[in-house]
Amino acid sequence: MPMRLIRTGDEPIHARSPLRMRLGLATWGLLWTLGGAVAFAAAGRPGWAAACGALAVVTLIDLVLVIRHIRQGPHYQPGRDVPPYAPVAEGRRNRGRRRAP
């Protein structure tokens, strides 16, 4: 089996946060759940309207949390200006492990 090379130390440069996508999906979900609650209430289905209303509340909470994380900045959404972490030294990585006899 071939050995895979794993890059370490530059994850923040290559990693991209899904917060913008979550923001769009939460907004889309909020619109659909509010629309569903209104439609079911107009159709005389209070149980389904309540279920859609409860989902709208959950979606609204997610939307608020996503906006909060986006506003917190690079800690939650690193950009190109965030430097990479220094890789762990090889000597420190094997410390504490026993070698096979």
Side-chain angles (χ1 to χ4, degrees):
M1 181 186 317
M3 185 174 173
R4 291 179 46 195
L5 296 176
I6 299 173
R7 296 185 319 198
T8 60
D10 64 348
E11 287 84 1
I13 289 176
H14 298 287
R16 293 292 171 246
S17 174
L19 288 176
R20 299 279 180 201
M21 182 178 62
R22 272 184 63 191
L23 179 69
L25 290 173
T27 303
W28 184 250
L30 184 63
L31 292 174
W32 273 100
T33 54
L34 288 175
V38 169
F40 281 124
R45 302 279 190 167
W48 285 104
C52 285
L55 282 175
V57 170
V58 171
T59 306
L60 183 63
I61 291 170
D62 183 46
L63 190 63
V64 168
L65 289 176
V66 167
I67 291 171
R68 180 175 168 238
H69 283 171
I70 288 173
R71 288 187 179 179
Q72 284 179 343
H75 178 70
Y76 286 98
Q77 193 173 20
R80 295 192 181 278
D81 57 336
V82 177
Y85 297 110
V88 177
E90 187 65 35
R92 293 180 63 198
R93 191 177 297 173
N94 293 330
R95 192 178 300 172
R97 294 184 184 171
R98 292 185 181 178
R99 295 183 181 188

